Amino acid sequence: MKLSELFNPDEFAARHLSFGDEVALLEALGEKSMDDFVGNTVPQSIRMPSELDLPEALTEADALAKLKGIASKNVINKSYIGLGYYPTRVPNVILRNVLENPGWYTAYTPYQAEIAQGRLEALLNFQQVCIDLTGFPVAGASLLDEATAAAEAMAMAHRVGKVKSERFFVDARVYPQTLDVMKTRAKYFGFELVVGDFAQADEGEYFGALFQYVGKDGDVQDLQDVISRLKAKGTIVAVAADIMSLVLLKPPAELGADIALGNTQRFGVPMGFGGPHAAYFAFKDEFKRSAPGRIIGVSKDASGKPALRMALSTREQHIRREKATSNICTAQALLANLAGMYAVYHGPEGVKRIANRIHALASAFADALVSDGLNVVHKVFFDTVTVDFGSKEQADQVFAAALESGYNLRRVNDTQIAAAFHETSVREDLTDLYRAFTGKDAFAFADDIKGRLNAELLRQDDILQHPVFNRYHTEHEMLRYLKKLEDRDLAMNRSMISLGSCTMKLNATAEMLPITWAEFSDIHPYAPEAQTAGYRELLADMENSLKAITGFDAISLQPNSGAQGEYSGMLSIRRYQEANGEGHRNICLIPKSAHGTNPATAAMLGLKVVVVDTDEHGNVNIDDLKAKAEQYRDALSAIMITYPSTHGVYEEGIRDICRIIHENGGQVYMDGANLNAQIGIMQPAEVGADVLHMNLHKTFCIPHGGGGPGMGPIGLKAHLAPFAPGHVVTDMHNASADQTAVAAAAYGSASILPITWMYLTMMGKQGMEQATRWALLNANYVAKRLSKDYPILYTGKNGRVAHECIVDLRPLKAESGITETDIAKRLMDYGFHAPTVSFPVAGTLMIEPTESESKAELDRFIAALKQIKQEVLKVERGEWPKEDNPLVNAPHTASDVTGEWAHPYSREEAVFPLPFVREHKFWPSVKRVDEVYGDRNLVCSCLPIDAYED
């Protein structure tokens, strides 16, 4: 034997892909080799001219060791920078059983509520926390970050307000990153931002205003008077409030505000160099149908039992499309779950103890400095002590002394330094910081401390009184609660999730391990650059890999969701055109088959949407495109196109499409939702795209987390690169200095980038090429096997599909009355999550099996759909009544089959329709949820426990 053959650097690819199935899959398609199959599936006209320029693969062990070496270059100082990001402790029971648990992080967005009751309850808990702490009756299930939440509040204020003004007031005390993002959004909405002294906000006419409750430098101001004066003038008022401070402070609703928003990072979510973190967004009841993002609501199931669902989920971009003011698609569900569970575990007394401890330490520190003659700038504060030293030289000395002692402080200006206390601050920090600030060795800190918050600022109500926050405070109880919720959810640790357009592929354990390493999770986004060498190397590696894959000249890693990637790509086009004297270009062509977020994104950038027809094969109608491009030649800004198309085919005319747009003065934005069908086969930049967004949470293995986090970097041609998002706090090498941001953190959700780095490193050049081929092979295998039972709506070259296929249920529906929803719910009884329902074509299922599913799993899924077809035929033939059959009654719960049975089909047919189901039965915890009832009777807070028990 040869020693060299006993080492296998490609071992991970063989675990991500099922190489042993290749012959059988190809044989089913009538193909002799993988090369022949790809040649018969992918148009030659789009094939990339050179090989994929990625390194060879590393083993799991070697990749982890290499990444550990990169991580070790980060320096973990004690962070007292603040400015919206603070060290916190993730309770270990939550760390292990939520953040590190595939039962939580591989679940998909809860579009199928009956098999998502666990994470829906967790998100409802999160909403209850936000409701309790803000005082508002309605809260959403999270937004992307505090800065974008503030921008969403501005847009919502304009939509619901009555003041005929385009001016919006911003408190000068807001975080700089918040103002930066608001500037970006305001420009293309046509709003004028006026930044000034909060106390003088009522001196102008504004449709809305934003105040920071704990100012960026730490001061806490009584906002009631100015809010009252603004409300008298009809202004919609939003308050950005630190979530931990609200444990002690009077809630924003009591101040008279209309909207409250902020970051929940302090509730047990690591800083992670800036994200991902769940923003909260709470508001008055009358605004609920204008709210951005998702709201989890309480409805009832078919038996009348309480059941949870996403409420009001088809508004904004789905209905309003180009009239939408928000393109929010997903949010930060996994991080919201962490924050909600933090409150569940600690309970009201626990979070009060933490908040009071933070405030007491800050107060004690301020008292010590004042007694030593230093000038503490703010007399009233929560956690941040700002000191004015009167000279730059002294401030420099203090800053350097703290740094030498292992503390990162914030330089407010030449003479002022701020220290922000937090959950992990301890008594010893007081002594160390006192020494750095004063140069003296010690101070006798008293145990009895007088707080710095005035009594009139403190809240008088009780918080977190719902039973869920008062019964799971031992680890045993918490562990069992988390397990109970996990068991109500269908995630990828049970079966494949075949949602077209939103691939749910393997999220390998080796990819997930590094996200909890302290070297990545405990770094503040504004830490000194010398302390973040590891992150900088990781970012550079990621940019180089994505450039090699896509062919673009530059990469921006700032967008922290797919929708943000869309916005950033189109923003770069708008900025480029304006810089070249073509700001008048305001027409955006969008094919009929586009994602629902595309028209919303275009509208948010001040563009007028012109829809382009598709032909009978689902492709862009080239003649219609050419006619409209020429018609709007002088005003054409861009086209937004998805490739392969949303219909699941490679459009052979993509080069012509790009050429036509360019010839008529426009730019090509390519939606990279389907990039997993391109890697190693084609490059978007090479076929003509100018900018592309990439869903790292899809193609590159970042898990969906039950509805987020996401990551949507963009690739840009050289002419667009200077117009990528910049950042007001962080110096970014790949954007011009004057470009404002699209997200709060310069590098978006940086702490989940190690997942993608590990995937690329372990797969290597060959593995990434193979992944694309297997995505195509699995999709075509599924399409071929199902085609005898269900028509495949669109096919491309040689009758092939790309990475997904659309099965047409409309003929069955017409004959039997069984709907696509019935089939989706019936799949739950077989242990599967439904494919994408009625998108992009009503009455269809869009199936994307991904490359990481084995033939055995594909065959189980195919068998389920084939058996369901036979069930539909029984209804069609009259063997089962249309109003009483397994499909219209699906899903079936355990209580269904243990009670009385009066259906014309057996219990066995209901819950064990195929032999493999019995082996690993998943029981939905509720029957079919009544969507209409939930929308008409919106309840988005926790019900009493007895409502569930009854």
Side-chain angles (χ1 to χ4, degrees):
M1 55 184 170
K2 295 181 180 179
L3 185 61
S4 60
E5 295 175 354
L6 298 177
F7 291 92
N8 180 18
D10 298 317
E11 66 175 15
F12 178 76
R15 291 172 180 159
H16 187 76
L17 310 169
S18 299
F19 290 138
D21 294 336
E22 181 174 341
V23 173
L25 292 172
L26 288 171
E27 190 175 281
L29 294 170
E31 299 283 4
K32 294 180 179 178
S33 70
M34 184 71 89
D35 285 342
D36 287 348
F37 162 70
V38 173
N40 288 327
T41 303
V42 183
Q44 188 60 40
S45 62
I46 68 167
R47 299 294 292 272
M48 57 192 288
S50 57
E51 289 192 345
L52 192 58
D53 185 19
L54 288 178
E56 297 301 316
L58 296 183
T59 65
E60 290 189 19
D62 289 344
L64 284 167
K66 182 176 181 180
L67 188 57
K68 195 69 173 178
I70 293 173
S72 68
K73 298 176 185 178
N74 289 330
V75 176
I76 308 174
N77 267 16
K78 291 190 173 183
S79 180
Y80 279 73
I81 297 170
L83 217 60
Y85 303 95
Y86 307 86
T88 186
R89 290 193 177 94
V90 187
N92 290 323
V93 65
I94 298 173
L95 176 74
R96 173 64 60 89
N97 295 287
V98 179
L99 184 57
E100 297 179 341
N101 182 353
W104 285 89
Y105 66 69
T106 70
Y108 186 63
T109 297
Y111 289 143
Q112 298 293 337
E114 295 83 359
I115 51 175
Q117 290 296 298
R119 84 197 83 128
L120 285 167
E121 182 170 329
L123 290 171
L124 195 71
N125 292 345
F126 172 82
Q127 290 180 178
Q128 186 68 59
V129 173
C130 301
I131 288 169
D132 279 11
L133 294 181
T134 66
F136 287 107
V138 187
S142 80
L143 292 178
L144 295 172
D145 58 38
E146 180 166 342
T148 52
E152 296 288 351
M154 176 175 63
M156 189 166 93
H158 190 266
R159 186 169 167 191
V160 302
K162 301 292 191 292
V163 175
K164 302 300 181 186
S165 166
E166 298 301 311
R167 304 174 81 219
F168 186 90
F169 181 87
V170 182
D171 183 354
R173 299 157 55 255
V174 303
Y175 297 140
Q177 67 269 22
T178 298
L179 180 59
D180 204 28
V181 172
M182 293 183 75
K183 286 178 178 178
T184 305
R185 291 278 189 95
K187 177 177 179 179
Y188 295 99
F189 279 139
F191 302 157
E192 178 190 350
L193 290 187
V194 178
V195 182
D197 182 345
F198 79 95
Q200 298 170 1
D202 63 314
E203 293 179 6
E205 292 294 321
Y206 305 106
F207 72 83
L210 174 71
F211 299 106
Q212 193 87 36
Y213 202 1
V214 177
K216 66 176 189 256
D217 301 331
D219 63 316
V220 180
Q221 301 287 346
D222 190 339
L223 302 173
Q224 283 183 269
D225 285 347
V226 68
I227 290 176
S228 177
R229 296 195 300 270
L230 280 169
K231 295 305 297 174
K233 301 175 77 169
T235 305
I236 302 296
V237 177
V239 170
D242 178 286
I243 191 74
M244 189 63 78
S245 75
L246 290 183
V247 174
L248 304 181
L249 291 175
K250 192 176 292 184
E254 199 172 318
L255 301 177
D258 302 290
I259 304 165
L261 59 99
N263 189 356
T264 61
Q265 181 263 318
R266 299 190 86 156
F267 272 33
V269 180
M271 290 184 292
F273 204 48
H277 303 140
Y280 73 85
F281 197 85
F283 42 88
K284 290 182 173 179
D285 182 75
E286 56 262 38
F287 298 162
K288 60 178 176 282
R289 295 186 185 274
S290 296
R294 293 170 171 170
I295 301 171
I296 305 308
V298 182
S299 187
K300 61 182 181 179
D301 73 2
S303 67
K305 176 182 175 182
L308 309 179
R309 56 183 282 277
M310 288 201 299
L312 311 176
S313 61
T314 55
R315 67 198 189 288
E316 275 300 308
Q317 68 261 28
H318 299 291
I319 290 176
R320 292 174 56 79
R321 290 178 69 82
E322 67 274 6
K323 295 180 181 177
T325 56
S326 171
N327 70 346
I328 290 292
C329 183
T330 59
Q332 303 284 19
L334 183 64
L335 296 314
N337 288 338
L338 291 179
M341 289 304 172
Y342 178 93
V344 170
Y345 191 49
H346 285 295
E349 297 309 313
V351 295
K352 283 179 194 173
R353 184 181 301 110
I354 293 166
N356 276 311
R357 184 172 71 236
I358 292 168
H359 180 57
L361 287 168
S363 300
F365 182 60
D367 289 345
L369 297 183
V370 169
S371 70
D372 208 63
L374 293 182
N375 178 17
V376 173
V377 176
H378 304 300
K379 302 296 184 285
V380 182
F381 55 79
F382 168 60
D383 61 0
T384 300
V385 179
T386 299
V387 178
D388 193 332
F389 293 94
S391 76
K392 182 178 183 300
E393 181 181 9
Q394 189 177 353
D396 287 345
Q397 291 173 355
V398 170
F399 193 82
L403 199 61
E404 180 69 22
S405 300
Y407 289 83
N408 289 343
L409 303 175
R410 181 165 70 88
R411 198 66 184 263
V412 177
N413 55 39
D414 281 351
T415 65
Q416 294 183 1
I417 291 176
F421 287 79
H422 44 78
E423 182 184 2
T424 68
S425 297
V426 292
R427 292 171 185 262
E428 289 74 20
D429 293 335
L430 290 176
T431 300
D432 293 342
L433 288 169
Y434 177 78
R435 185 181 298 116
F437 272 69
T438 66
K440 298 180 180 178
D441 279 341
F443 184 86
F445 288 95
D447 191 50
D448 191 12
I449 298 164
K450 187 178 187 306
R452 291 301 193 100
L453 293 173
N454 300 332
E456 60 268 22
L457 292 171
L458 298 177
R459 70 185 310 144
Q460 303 300 317
D461 59 325
D462 294 324
I463 60 170
L464 305 179
Q465 292 303 293
H466 189 274
V468 75
F469 303 112
N470 293 279
R471 65 191 306 179
Y472 304 116
H473 299 159
T474 68
E475 182 156 339
H476 246 153
E477 289 297 326
M478 189 66 183
L479 180 68
R480 289 165 183 161
Y481 179 57
L482 293 173
K483 181 62 177 172
K484 179 177 76 171
L485 297 191
E486 180 193 345
D487 285 345
R488 292 176 179 173
D489 280 13
L490 186 68
M492 287 191 69
N493 58 346
R494 289 184 178 271
S495 61
M496 69 183 286
I497 298 179
S498 60
L499 285 119
S501 192
C502 289
T503 319
M504 295 297 294
K505 64 170 72 177
L506 171 71
N507 310 125
T509 307
E511 295 158 9
M512 300 301 296
L513 286 173
I515 66 168
T516 56
W517 292 350
E519 297 92 335
F520 288 131
S521 65
D522 291 352
I523 304 293
H524 193 287
Y526 307 147
E529 191 165 330
Q531 296 175 15
T532 61
Y535 257 120
R536 306 287 168 179
E537 183 174 337
L538 176 75
L539 295 167
D541 278 0
M542 285 298 309
E543 289 177 14
N544 289 333
S545 293
L546 295 176
K547 283 192 282 189
I549 287 168
T550 62
F552 286 101
D553 302 302
I555 302 291
S556 170
L557 294 168
Q558 187 174 121
N560 52 6
S561 78
Q564 286 284 82
E566 276 186 28
Y567 184 85
S568 302
M570 293 299 293
L571 173 69
S572 301
I573 290 172
R574 289 288 270 155
R575 287 172 167 174
Y576 164 75
Q577 290 171 337
E578 289 166 351
N580 286 279
E582 295 188 317
H584 64 277
R585 292 188 172 274
N586 68 341
I587 298 296
C588 183
L589 302 182
I590 300 181
K592 279 184 177 178
S593 60
H595 288 126
T597 52
N598 287 173
T601 297
M604 290 170 65
L605 285 157
L607 296 171
K608 180 182 177 183
V609 173
V610 174
V611 177
V612 178
D613 287 337
T614 52
D615 62 22
E616 67 273 17
H617 303 294
N619 300 318
V620 171
N621 185 316
I622 300 292
D623 291 338
D624 188 55
L625 171 74
K626 186 175 182 182
K628 285 172 177 169
E630 291 175 352
Q631 177 186 351
Y632 295 105
R633 179 185 183 91
D634 294 337
L636 179 61
S637 174
I639 188 172
M640 299 182 76
I641 187 165
T642 301
Y643 201 83
S645 77
T646 308
H647 290 149
V649 295
Y650 290 102
E651 299 198 31
E652 301 213 26
I654 185 63
R655 289 186 188 273
D656 290 334
I657 291 169
C658 295
R659 176 182 53 78
I660 290 167
I661 297 301
H662 289 146
E663 286 176 352
N664 288 281
Q667 297 284 297
V668 176
Y669 163 86
M670 187 176 284
D671 188 311
N674 301 333
L675 185 62
N676 55 309
Q678 299 185 38
I679 299 175
I681 286 179
M682 63 167 283
Q683 290 180 311
E686 195 273 330
V687 300
D690 297 292
V691 61
L692 171 96
H693 106 266
M694 300 162 247
N695 282 348
L696 297 196
H697 52 285
K698 177 190 176 181
T699 301
F700 297 98
C701 290
I702 290 175
H704 278 259
M711 192 82 177
I714 55 172
L716 308 104
K717 288 275 187 71
H719 65 283
L720 294 181
F723 304 98
H727 200 270
V728 69
V729 181
T730 303
D731 183 26
M732 299 184 69
H733 69 277
N734 56 352
S736 298
D738 59 343
Q739 303 300 343
T740 52
V742 298
Y747 300 101
S749 297
S751 68
I752 55 177
L753 287 175
I755 301 170
T756 296
W757 188 96
M758 283 293 295
Y759 174 61
L760 289 167
T761 302
M762 295 186 296
M763 290 292 278
K765 172 183 179 295
Q766 280 188 309
M768 293 306 298
E769 291 172 341
Q770 289 167 327
T772 303
R773 293 171 169 231
W774 278 84
L776 303 181
L777 184 61
N778 282 352
N780 278 279
Y781 175 73
V782 169
K784 179 69 179 291
R785 290 286 313 279
L786 289 177
S787 62
K788 292 180 181 178
D789 296 276
Y790 304 94
I792 305 302
L793 190 57
Y794 297 116
T795 58
K797 181 182 177 185
N798 298 320
R800 297 281 190 231
V801 298
H803 60 297
E804 61 192 9
C805 62
I806 299 176
V807 299
D808 194 351
L809 306 178
R810 291 172 296 183
L812 272 182
K813 182 177 181 178
E815 293 295 326
S816 66
I818 296 299
T819 69
E820 63 275 14
T821 299
D822 296 330
I823 292 175
K825 303 306 181 187
R826 181 60 173 153
L827 271 168
M828 298 176 191
D829 289 328
Y830 288 79
F832 286 107
H833 194 294
T836 304
V837 179
S838 288
F839 175 84
V841 180
T844 66
L845 296 179
M846 183 160 62
I847 302 169
E848 184 169 2
T850 84
E851 77 272 13
S852 60
E853 296 296 345
S854 67
K855 180 176 180 294
E857 183 69 0
L858 298 181
D859 284 342
R860 281 190 288 271
F861 177 72
I862 291 164
L865 278 174
K866 283 180 170 289
Q867 183 69 11
I868 287 173
K869 169 68 177 295
Q870 296 307 308
E871 293 176 349
V872 175
L873 292 178
K874 282 190 174 185
V875 177
E876 190 177 314
R877 292 192 297 263
E879 296 176 34
W880 285 333
K882 289 189 176 183
E883 69 281 357
D884 188 6
N885 59 69
L887 294 118
V888 298
N889 292 332
H892 297 82
T893 65
S895 60
D896 283 335
V897 295
T898 54
E900 292 185 14
W901 191 261
H903 300 294
Y905 55 97
S906 68
R907 288 180 170 90
E908 189 91 2
E909 288 172 310
V911 299
F912 299 126
L914 287 173
F916 74 80
V917 180
R918 187 183 293 275
E919 296 174 18
H920 188 51
K921 177 64 182 175
F922 175 79
W923 293 98
S925 57
V926 297
K927 293 175 68 65
R928 192 173 304 194
V929 176
D930 188 332
E931 304 279 348
V932 175
Y933 178 88
D935 274 356
R936 289 177 176 170
N937 304 274
L938 181 65
V939 175
C940 69
S941 55
C942 295
L943 290 179
I945 292 297
D946 59 8
Y948 297 96
E949 292 172 348
D950 291 345

